[in-house]
Amino acid sequence: MSAEDIPKDYSESPINLEYFYTAGSATTRFLNQVKEGNIVGQGCPKCKAVYVPPRGSCPRCGVATDIEVPLTDKGCIESFTVVHIPIPGNPIVPPYVCAMIRLDGANISFLHLIQDVDIENIRIGMRIQAVWKPKEEWTHSLENIKWFAPIDEPDVDVATLRFHES
Amino acid sequence: MSDSKDLLRAPFELAYNYKRSNGPVMSKFFDALGKQTILGTKSSTGKVFSPAAEFDPDTYESLNDMVEVGPGGSVESFSWIEAPQKHHLIKEPFAFALIKLDGADSSMLHMIADCNEADLSIGTRVTAAWSETTTKRITDIKFFTLEK
Amino acid sequence: MKRVAIVGYAQHPILKNAGALNEVELIMPVVHQLFNDLGISQKDIDFTCSGSCDYLQGAAFAFVEGLSAIQTNPPIKESHVEMDAAWAMYESMLKIQMGDAETALIYGFGKSSPGDLDAIISLQMDPYYISPLWPDRVSLAALQARVLLDQNVITSEQMLASVIEARANSKNNKNALITDLIDESDYLKNAMVSSPLNQLDCPPISDGSSAMIIASEEKAYEFTDHPIWIEGIDHRIESSNLGSRNLATSKTLQASMDQLNLKNIKFDVAELHTQFSHELPFLKSLLNLQDVPTNLSGGPLVGNVMMCAGLDAIGKTYESLKNNQFTHGLAHATSGPCLQHNMLVHLEAQK
Ligand SMILES: [Zn+2]
């Protein structure tokens, strides 16, 4: 029997599962600070790497990141992509920019939006700062930051941000 | 350490709308269900599997000889659920059961409803009750009921 | 076959809801405890293998996150099974047999508290004929219980005895979740979940993690003076066609017993991954363990961490042999509905 002879029959096979998720210790500490408009990374007691957002461990060393490291909401773009295709259910109208944001003092980056910028001008190393929602809308979520926007500071050479074993 | 009240908690739903291709054997089985007929597959040793198996787990041969079975059969085992859970399809007390359809040598897992626990025992005769609409899924058989 | 030994095992206290700990935070303490006990670090480990289920966390590739619990720099050789960590131990055993590793770290983790375990388990079954009916794990186990009762393979008195004994044995297990004793009247007044199984016939929803280290003969004595040898290990699976199986017996376990030549071994102790009360008398009779102290830890009925409980059976057998003057131990791990997939591990202490 060739593939063409096989009836093209499909069964709908929907899956849905409901969870009641608990954040765990590290994420709870982080998000409680985000609720107050603070970004507090967590540092490794061995190699001193700083994680934002923290997951509770340093995967380099396999130990708990129990040092709280307050950071500012400024950083630079470590990489970015311009999204041209609308994603079903996503309210943001293309084209828009998703970037890996490296906050000053952090050793990892996280994904967020860049706005208030000409897409042609966006570049790796560009200095950016968080644009926060109004305080009364703050919750336990990084969505308290609407997006990041460029600031008038000289670009950073991202090669200098690479982690060096201390 | 556990069950702390300061913990952040949030509900979260995971959903995927998969479509699965049925393949040659199961396509015939599900097409037949849409016509309120139950098929099985017959192996070279004469053993009949229903729901239609694509291979014989003992001889490993692939199976495509379709034969009609049921719609009546007998209960091989059952578990009675007095308080159905959220994800169960039947909201009244019902049973999950292994049902050996007439003409088959293996059993079908399905549900038995519209009866009481006391009506059921191993060997009880049941017959298929059909869903109002066909979706080419095993749920085209709504459940099994006691044979009149 | 190269000789391979278990040299260490650690288990997190089993929790009803480990909400205060994410998966990484659950794994780290047991791995650290093992390393501290043996005075070693990740650098002494050639191969790392974990067992977990992404659906429990509700996130694709959730097992990768688990790796953050161990030191992965410089890069390590690692693997994962979407199964009980007993099978991660099996994979590690193969890795050592192939000469690719002398030492292996195995860990398993599972939190059943955030999701609906019954729904999750039904999605792991045949997606055409079984999952669309959403059979819960208790109802499936109950189908086998009824067959065993009907054919007099076991009795309801034995099921009751399993439950009472598990509670009594929990005193031997500092990590047990359920420790309160019960008597016959408590058992009989418990409501059925899915008859013939009541709430007490079923394991508790559990969160936890476990870790184990195994090593080749050359390395084992560097780590410990008391290695426990893996004399035999075998796993086999039955058809996923539930309705074609004979639920009154287990062809796979019989084949594994023959393969491992267990008939003439006088076991001192056994730990079986029997999650429901009827499975203990069933497997004891099938494995000729009637006179062998079994599930002295209380077994899964006093704490049943998904994706760990099989590894825990091996770990508890290891601990029994190490802490007592026992010679032979038998451990069992299972997966799938109605004991579909079974592993037997024959452990032996140095005489
Ligand atoms: Zn570190």
mmCIF file of all heavy atoms in Angstrom, chain C residues 174-216:
data_model
loop_
_atom_site.group_PDB
_atom_site.id
_atom_site.type_symbol
_atom_site.label_atom_id
_atom_site.label_comp_id
_atom_site.label_asym_id
_atom_site.label_seq_id
_atom_site.Cartn_x
_atom_site.Cartn_y
_atom_site.Cartn_z
ATOM 1 N N LYS C 174 12.138 7.106 57.179
ATOM 2 C CA LYS C 174 12.099 8.488 57.687
ATOM 3 C C LYS C 174 11.506 9.451 56.667
ATOM 4 O O LYS C 174 11.123 10.567 57.014
ATOM 5 C CB LYS C 174 13.496 8.948 58.116
ATOM 6 C CG LYS C 174 14.502 9.050 56.960
ATOM 7 C CD LYS C 174 15.867 9.498 57.482
ATOM 8 C CE LYS C 174 16.835 9.937 56.399
ATOM 9 N NZ LYS C 174 17.080 8.979 55.307
ATOM 10 N N ASN C 175 11.423 9.045 55.419
ATOM 11 C CA ASN C 175 10.910 9.933 54.377
ATOM 12 C C ASN C 175 9.451 9.671 54.004
ATOM 13 O O ASN C 175 8.926 10.297 53.089
ATOM 14 C CB ASN C 175 11.776 9.819 53.120
ATOM 15 C CG ASN C 175 13.205 10.247 53.384
ATOM 16 O OD1 ASN C 175 13.435 11.184 54.134
ATOM 17 N ND2 ASN C 175 14.162 9.543 52.804
ATOM 18 N N ALA C 176 8.804 8.740 54.717
ATOM 19 C CA ALA C 176 7.433 8.385 54.355
ATOM 20 C C ALA C 176 6.496 9.578 54.511
ATOM 21 O O ALA C 176 6.663 10.407 55.408
ATOM 22 C CB ALA C 176 6.954 7.227 55.220
ATOM 23 N N LEU C 177 5.520 9.664 53.630
ATOM 24 C CA LEU C 177 4.518 10.731 53.700
ATOM 25 C C LEU C 177 3.378 10.341 54.641
ATOM 26 O O LEU C 177 2.877 11.144 55.413
ATOM 27 C CB LEU C 177 3.985 11.014 52.285
ATOM 28 C CG LEU C 177 2.780 11.937 52.146
ATOM 29 C CD1 LEU C 177 3.083 13.324 52.698
ATOM 30 C CD2 LEU C 177 2.359 12.044 50.684
ATOM 31 N N ILE C 178 2.939 9.088 54.549
ATOM 32 C CA ILE C 178 1.805 8.608 55.352
ATOM 33 C C ILE C 178 2.360 7.736 56.470
ATOM 34 O O ILE C 178 3.031 6.730 56.195
ATOM 35 C CB ILE C 178 0.858 7.746 54.485
ATOM 36 C CG1 ILE C 178 0.435 8.494 53.230
ATOM 37 C CG2 ILE C 178 -0.331 7.262 55.301
ATOM 38 C CD1 ILE C 178 -0.676 9.452 53.384
ATOM 39 N N THR C 179 2.091 8.107 57.714
ATOM 40 C CA THR C 179 2.666 7.329 58.818
ATOM 41 C C THR C 179 1.625 6.888 59.840
ATOM 42 O O THR C 179 1.929 6.116 60.739
ATOM 43 C CB THR C 179 3.744 8.158 59.553
ATOM 44 O OG1 THR C 179 3.171 9.404 59.914
ATOM 45 C CG2 THR C 179 4.953 8.402 58.670
ATOM 46 N N ASP C 180 0.390 7.385 59.715
ATOM 47 C CA ASP C 180 -0.592 7.009 60.739
ATOM 48 C C ASP C 180 -1.081 5.586 60.520
ATOM 49 O O ASP C 180 -1.299 5.141 59.399
ATOM 50 C CB ASP C 180 -1.762 8.005 60.780
ATOM 51 C CG ASP C 180 -2.297 8.316 59.396
ATOM 52 O OD1 ASP C 180 -1.483 8.300 58.452
ATOM 53 O OD2 ASP C 180 -3.502 8.537 59.246
ATOM 54 N N LEU C 181 -1.244 4.894 61.650
ATOM 55 C CA LEU C 181 -1.667 3.497 61.586
ATOM 56 C C LEU C 181 -3.169 3.432 61.377
ATOM 57 O O LEU C 181 -3.898 4.336 61.766
ATOM 58 C CB LEU C 181 -1.286 2.782 62.891
ATOM 59 C CG LEU C 181 0.206 2.793 63.216
ATOM 60 C CD1 LEU C 181 0.461 2.116 64.561
ATOM 61 C CD2 LEU C 181 0.997 2.088 62.114
ATOM 62 N N ILE C 182 -3.614 2.348 60.754
ATOM 63 C CA ILE C 182 -5.063 2.156 60.624
ATOM 64 C C ILE C 182 -5.406 0.715 60.979
ATOM 65 O O ILE C 182 -4.531 -0.152 61.023
ATOM 66 C CB ILE C 182 -5.566 2.428 59.189
ATOM 67 C CG1 ILE C 182 -4.770 1.591 58.180
ATOM 68 C CG2 ILE C 182 -5.494 3.884 58.830
ATOM 69 C CD1 ILE C 182 -5.544 1.337 56.929
ATOM 70 N N ASP C 183 -6.682 0.493 61.253
ATOM 71 C CA ASP C 183 -7.117 -0.886 61.504
ATOM 72 C C ASP C 183 -8.226 -1.258 60.513
ATOM 73 O O ASP C 183 -8.612 -0.449 59.659
ATOM 74 C CB ASP C 183 -7.562 -1.069 62.959
ATOM 75 C CG ASP C 183 -8.715 -0.143 63.318
ATOM 76 O OD1 ASP C 183 -9.452 0.276 62.390
ATOM 77 O OD2 ASP C 183 -8.879 0.168 64.509
ATOM 78 N N GLU C 184 -8.726 -2.457 60.674
ATOM 79 C CA GLU C 184 -9.683 -2.990 59.712
ATOM 80 C C GLU C 184 -10.931 -2.106 59.584
ATOM 81 O O GLU C 184 -11.426 -1.877 58.487
ATOM 82 C CB GLU C 184 -10.082 -4.418 60.128
ATOM 83 C CG GLU C 184 -10.980 -5.077 59.108
ATOM 84 C CD GLU C 184 -11.228 -6.549 59.398
ATOM 85 O OE1 GLU C 184 -10.578 -7.090 60.325
ATOM 86 O OE2 GLU C 184 -12.065 -7.149 58.709
ATOM 87 N N SER C 185 -11.401 -1.569 60.725
ATOM 88 C CA SER C 185 -12.643 -0.791 60.646
ATOM 89 C C SER C 185 -12.407 0.527 59.898
ATOM 90 O O SER C 185 -13.275 0.988 59.161
ATOM 91 C CB SER C 185 -13.224 -0.553 62.039
ATOM 92 O OG SER C 185 -12.391 0.315 62.770
ATOM 93 N N ASP C 186 -11.218 1.131 60.091
ATOM 94 C CA ASP C 186 -10.901 2.339 59.314
ATOM 95 C C ASP C 186 -10.968 2.020 57.824
ATOM 96 O O ASP C 186 -11.478 2.791 57.019
ATOM 97 C CB ASP C 186 -9.472 2.841 59.606
ATOM 98 C CG ASP C 186 -9.270 3.209 61.057
ATOM 99 O OD1 ASP C 186 -10.236 3.703 61.661
ATOM 100 O OD2 ASP C 186 -8.155 2.983 61.568
ATOM 101 N N TYR C 187 -10.397 0.872 57.473
ATOM 102 C CA TYR C 187 -10.315 0.468 56.069
ATOM 103 C C TYR C 187 -11.712 0.246 55.494
ATOM 104 O O TYR C 187 -12.042 0.737 54.415
ATOM 105 C CB TYR C 187 -9.477 -0.801 55.957
ATOM 106 C CG TYR C 187 -9.327 -1.355 54.554
ATOM 107 C CD1 TYR C 187 -8.378 -0.834 53.668
ATOM 108 C CD2 TYR C 187 -10.133 -2.404 54.111
ATOM 109 C CE1 TYR C 187 -8.234 -1.344 52.386
ATOM 110 C CE2 TYR C 187 -9.990 -2.924 52.825
ATOM 111 C CZ TYR C 187 -9.046 -2.397 51.970
ATOM 112 O OH TYR C 187 -8.900 -2.900 50.704
ATOM 113 N N LEU C 188 -12.525 -0.465 56.253
ATOM 114 C CA LEU C 188 -13.828 -0.868 55.712
ATOM 115 C C LEU C 188 -14.778 0.316 55.565
ATOM 116 O O LEU C 188 -15.658 0.298 54.708
ATOM 117 C CB LEU C 188 -14.451 -1.963 56.588
ATOM 118 C CG LEU C 188 -13.684 -3.287 56.552
ATOM 119 C CD1 LEU C 188 -14.293 -4.289 57.526
ATOM 120 C CD2 LEU C 188 -13.647 -3.884 55.134
ATOM 121 N N LYS C 189 -14.591 1.362 56.381
ATOM 122 C CA LYS C 189 -15.531 2.479 56.250
ATOM 123 C C LYS C 189 -15.045 3.518 55.231
ATOM 124 O O LYS C 189 -15.696 4.533 55.026
ATOM 125 C CB LYS C 189 -15.851 3.091 57.609
ATOM 126 C CG LYS C 189 -14.717 3.747 58.338
ATOM 127 C CD LYS C 189 -15.234 4.269 59.698
ATOM 128 C CE LYS C 189 -14.093 4.891 60.484
ATOM 129 N NZ LYS C 189 -13.966 4.360 61.826
ATOM 130 N N ASN C 190 -13.912 3.244 54.591
ATOM 131 C CA ASN C 190 -13.409 4.173 53.581
ATOM 132 C C ASN C 190 -14.190 4.044 52.279
ATOM 133 O O ASN C 190 -14.460 2.942 51.818
ATOM 134 C CB ASN C 190 -11.925 3.883 53.337
ATOM 135 C CG ASN C 190 -11.135 5.158 53.216
ATOM 136 O OD1 ASN C 190 -10.991 5.692 52.134
ATOM 137 N ND2 ASN C 190 -10.659 5.649 54.346
ATOM 138 N N ALA C 191 -14.525 5.180 51.684
ATOM 139 C CA ALA C 191 -15.349 5.154 50.470
ATOM 140 C C ALA C 191 -14.547 4.621 49.281
ATOM 141 O O ALA C 191 -13.347 4.847 49.174
ATOM 142 C CB ALA C 191 -15.846 6.563 50.166
ATOM 143 N N MET C 192 -15.231 3.939 48.394
ATOM 144 C CA MET C 192 -14.619 3.456 47.164
ATOM 145 C C MET C 192 -14.244 4.643 46.274
ATOM 146 O O MET C 192 -15.020 5.596 46.144
ATOM 147 C CB MET C 192 -15.599 2.571 46.396
ATOM 148 C CG MET C 192 -15.819 1.215 47.027
ATOM 149 S SD MET C 192 -14.363 0.178 46.835
ATOM 150 C CE MET C 192 -14.804 -1.204 47.905
ATOM 151 N N VAL C 193 -13.096 4.572 45.654
ATOM 152 C CA VAL C 193 -12.740 5.541 44.618
ATOM 153 C C VAL C 193 -13.234 4.981 43.295
ATOM 154 O O VAL C 193 -13.959 5.619 42.537
ATOM 155 C CB VAL C 193 -11.215 5.754 44.544
ATOM 156 C CG1 VAL C 193 -10.871 6.746 43.435
ATOM 157 C CG2 VAL C 193 -10.681 6.234 45.876
ATOM 158 N N SER C 194 -12.824 3.769 43.041
ATOM 159 C CA SER C 194 -13.250 3.061 41.849
ATOM 160 C C SER C 194 -13.239 1.603 42.277
ATOM 161 O O SER C 194 -12.177 1.015 42.428
ATOM 162 C CB SER C 194 -12.256 3.350 40.716
ATOM 163 O OG SER C 194 -12.783 2.923 39.490
ATOM 164 N N SER C 195 -14.417 1.060 42.518
ATOM 165 C CA SER C 195 -14.474 -0.257 43.152
ATOM 166 C C SER C 195 -13.802 -1.291 42.245
ATOM 167 O O SER C 195 -13.920 -1.194 41.026
ATOM 168 C CB SER C 195 -15.916 -0.664 43.430
ATOM 169 O OG SER C 195 -16.536 -1.061 42.228
ATOM 170 N N PRO C 196 -13.066 -2.257 42.765
ATOM 171 C CA PRO C 196 -12.963 -2.583 44.203
ATOM 172 C C PRO C 196 -11.879 -1.833 44.974
ATOM 173 O O PRO C 196 -11.478 -2.298 46.038
ATOM 174 C CB PRO C 196 -12.650 -4.083 44.158
ATOM 175 C CG PRO C 196 -11.851 -4.265 42.900
ATOM 176 C CD PRO C 196 -12.394 -3.271 41.926
ATOM 177 N N LEU C 197 -11.406 -0.689 44.502
ATOM 178 C CA LEU C 197 -10.348 0.027 45.226
ATOM 179 C C LEU C 197 -10.926 1.224 45.983
ATOM 180 O O LEU C 197 -11.612 2.070 45.397
ATOM 181 C CB LEU C 197 -9.269 0.523 44.255
ATOM 182 C CG LEU C 197 -8.508 -0.552 43.469
ATOM 183 C CD1 LEU C 197 -7.465 0.091 42.559
ATOM 184 C CD2 LEU C 197 -7.845 -1.556 44.415
ATOM 185 N N ASN C 198 -10.635 1.294 47.280
ATOM 186 C CA ASN C 198 -11.011 2.476 48.041
ATOM 187 C C ASN C 198 -9.794 3.379 48.200
ATOM 188 O O ASN C 198 -8.692 3.050 47.756
ATOM 189 C CB ASN C 198 -11.671 2.094 49.383
ATOM 190 C CG ASN C 198 -10.670 1.586 50.410
ATOM 191 O OD1 ASN C 198 -9.489 1.946 50.387
ATOM 192 N ND2 ASN C 198 -11.139 0.750 51.321
ATOM 193 N N GLN C 199 -10.008 4.518 48.821
ATOM 194 C CA GLN C 199 -8.953 5.523 48.968
ATOM 195 C C GLN C 199 -7.673 4.928 49.568
ATOM 196 O O GLN C 199 -6.565 5.259 49.147
ATOM 197 C CB GLN C 199 -9.476 6.645 49.879
ATOM 198 C CG GLN C 199 -8.619 7.885 49.908
ATOM 199 C CD GLN C 199 -8.768 8.708 48.627
ATOM 200 O OE1 GLN C 199 -9.891 9.007 48.218
ATOM 201 N NE2 GLN C 199 -7.671 9.036 47.997
ATOM 202 N N LEU C 200 -7.834 4.037 50.553
ATOM 203 C CA LEU C 200 -6.659 3.496 51.252
ATOM 204 C C LEU C 200 -5.931 2.437 50.431
ATOM 205 O O LEU C 200 -4.783 2.109 50.719
ATOM 206 C CB LEU C 200 -7.068 2.911 52.613
ATOM 207 C CG LEU C 200 -7.682 3.908 53.591
ATOM 208 C CD1 LEU C 200 -8.122 3.205 54.865
ATOM 209 C CD2 LEU C 200 -6.706 5.027 53.921
ATOM 210 N N ASP C 201 -6.584 1.902 49.416
ATOM 211 C CA ASP C 201 -5.923 0.955 48.513
ATOM 212 C C ASP C 201 -4.994 1.676 47.535
ATOM 213 O O ASP C 201 -4.252 1.023 46.799
ATOM 214 C CB ASP C 201 -6.964 0.179 47.687
ATOM 215 C CG ASP C 201 -7.799 -0.762 48.535
ATOM 216 O OD1 ASP C 201 -7.205 -1.535 49.298
ATOM 217 O OD2 ASP C 201 -9.043 -0.707 48.428
ATOM 218 N N CYS C 202 -5.092 3.003 47.490
ATOM 219 C CA CYS C 202 -4.376 3.798 46.485
ATOM 220 C C CYS C 202 -3.235 4.577 47.137
ATOM 221 O O CYS C 202 -3.299 4.940 48.300
ATOM 222 C CB CYS C 202 -5.325 4.797 45.832
ATOM 223 S SG CYS C 202 -6.790 4.028 45.145
ATOM 224 N N PRO C 203 -2.201 4.877 46.354
ATOM 225 C CA PRO C 203 -1.076 5.635 46.900
ATOM 226 C C PRO C 203 -1.430 7.109 47.029
ATOM 227 O O PRO C 203 -2.289 7.598 46.307
ATOM 228 C CB PRO C 203 0.008 5.441 45.831
ATOM 229 C CG PRO C 203 -0.771 5.306 44.559
ATOM 230 C CD PRO C 203 -2.043 4.577 44.925
ATOM 231 N N PRO C 204 -0.764 7.817 47.957
ATOM 232 C CA PRO C 204 -1.039 9.249 48.103
ATOM 233 C C PRO C 204 -0.386 10.057 46.984
ATOM 234 O O PRO C 204 0.660 9.671 46.458
ATOM 235 C CB PRO C 204 -0.382 9.591 49.450
ATOM 236 C CG PRO C 204 0.738 8.604 49.584
ATOM 237 C CD PRO C 204 0.266 7.339 48.904
ATOM 238 N N ILE C 205 -1.026 11.170 46.613
ATOM 239 C CA ILE C 205 -0.388 12.143 45.708
ATOM 240 C C ILE C 205 0.871 12.642 46.412
ATOM 241 O O ILE C 205 0.818 13.071 47.559
ATOM 242 C CB ILE C 205 -1.354 13.316 45.439
ATOM 243 C CG1 ILE C 205 -2.571 12.827 44.665
ATOM 244 C CG2 ILE C 205 -0.654 14.463 44.708
ATOM 245 C CD1 ILE C 205 -2.311 12.421 43.237
ATOM 246 N N SER C 206 2.004 12.554 45.736
ATOM 247 C CA SER C 206 3.287 12.786 46.403
ATOM 248 C C SER C 206 4.214 13.636 45.539
ATOM 249 O O SER C 206 4.194 13.544 44.321
ATOM 250 C CB SER C 206 3.980 11.443 46.673
ATOM 251 O OG SER C 206 3.113 10.524 47.304
ATOM 252 N N ASP C 207 5.033 14.436 46.219
ATOM 253 C CA ASP C 207 6.081 15.212 45.551
ATOM 254 C C ASP C 207 7.431 14.802 46.137
ATOM 255 O O ASP C 207 7.525 14.558 47.334
ATOM 256 C CB ASP C 207 5.905 16.713 45.822
ATOM 257 C CG ASP C 207 4.647 17.298 45.173
ATOM 258 O OD1 ASP C 207 3.992 16.580 44.391
ATOM 259 O OD2 ASP C 207 4.343 18.471 45.446
ATOM 260 N N GLY C 208 8.451 14.771 45.301
ATOM 261 C CA GLY C 208 9.766 14.442 45.850
ATOM 262 C C GLY C 208 10.814 14.228 44.787
ATOM 263 O O GLY C 208 10.613 14.519 43.607
ATOM 264 N N SER C 209 11.943 13.715 45.243
ATOM 265 C CA SER C 209 13.066 13.445 44.350
ATOM 266 C C SER C 209 13.976 12.413 45.009
ATOM 267 O O SER C 209 13.939 12.244 46.226
ATOM 268 C CB SER C 209 13.866 14.725 44.095
ATOM 269 O OG SER C 209 14.499 15.129 45.293
ATOM 270 N N SER C 210 14.762 11.738 44.195
ATOM 271 C CA SER C 210 15.722 10.758 44.707
ATOM 272 C C SER C 210 16.928 10.743 43.789
ATOM 273 O O SER C 210 16.826 11.125 42.621
ATOM 274 C CB SER C 210 15.138 9.345 44.708
ATOM 275 O OG SER C 210 13.958 9.298 45.432
ATOM 276 N N ALA C 211 18.050 10.290 44.341
ATOM 277 C CA ALA C 211 19.263 10.185 43.527
ATOM 278 C C ALA C 211 20.055 8.953 43.940
ATOM 279 O O ALA C 211 19.952 8.487 45.076
ATOM 280 C CB ALA C 211 20.118 11.438 43.674
ATOM 281 N N MET C 212 20.819 8.436 43.000
ATOM 282 C CA MET C 212 21.600 7.221 43.239
ATOM 283 C C MET C 212 22.900 7.324 42.448
ATOM 284 O O MET C 212 22.942 7.964 41.395
ATOM 285 C CB MET C 212 20.784 6.017 42.759
ATOM 286 C CG MET C 212 21.463 4.672 42.899
ATOM 287 S SD MET C 212 20.402 3.340 42.269
ATOM 288 C CE MET C 212 19.276 3.139 43.648
ATOM 289 N N ILE C 213 23.935 6.690 42.982
ATOM 290 C CA ILE C 213 25.184 6.606 42.218
ATOM 291 C C ILE C 213 25.559 5.139 42.066
ATOM 292 O O ILE C 213 25.504 4.364 43.037
ATOM 293 C CB ILE C 213 26.315 7.414 42.895
ATOM 294 C CG1 ILE C 213 25.988 8.913 42.797
ATOM 295 C CG2 ILE C 213 27.668 7.130 42.235
ATOM 296 C CD1 ILE C 213 26.956 9.818 43.509
ATOM 297 N N ILE C 214 25.877 4.770 40.835
ATOM 298 C CA ILE C 214 26.365 3.416 40.573
ATOM 299 C C ILE C 214 27.767 3.516 39.980
ATOM 300 O O ILE C 214 28.131 4.547 39.404
ATOM 301 C CB ILE C 214 25.421 2.595 39.654
ATOM 302 C CG1 ILE C 214 25.313 3.213 38.261
ATOM 303 C CG2 ILE C 214 24.050 2.462 40.281
ATOM 304 C CD1 ILE C 214 24.519 2.347 37.270
ATOM 305 N N ALA C 215 28.543 2.447 40.135
ATOM 306 C CA ALA C 215 29.926 2.501 39.666
ATOM 307 C C ALA C 215 30.404 1.104 39.289
ATOM 308 O O ALA C 215 29.932 0.098 39.814
ATOM 309 C CB ALA C 215 30.831 3.073 40.761
ATOM 310 N N SER C 216 31.362 1.071 38.383
ATOM 311 C CA SER C 216 31.992 -0.191 38.003
ATOM 312 C C SER C 216 32.828 -0.710 39.171
ATOM 313 O O SER C 216 33.115 0.024 40.122
ATOM 314 C CB SER C 216 32.882 0.033 36.783
ATOM 315 O OG SER C 216 33.968 0.851 37.152
#
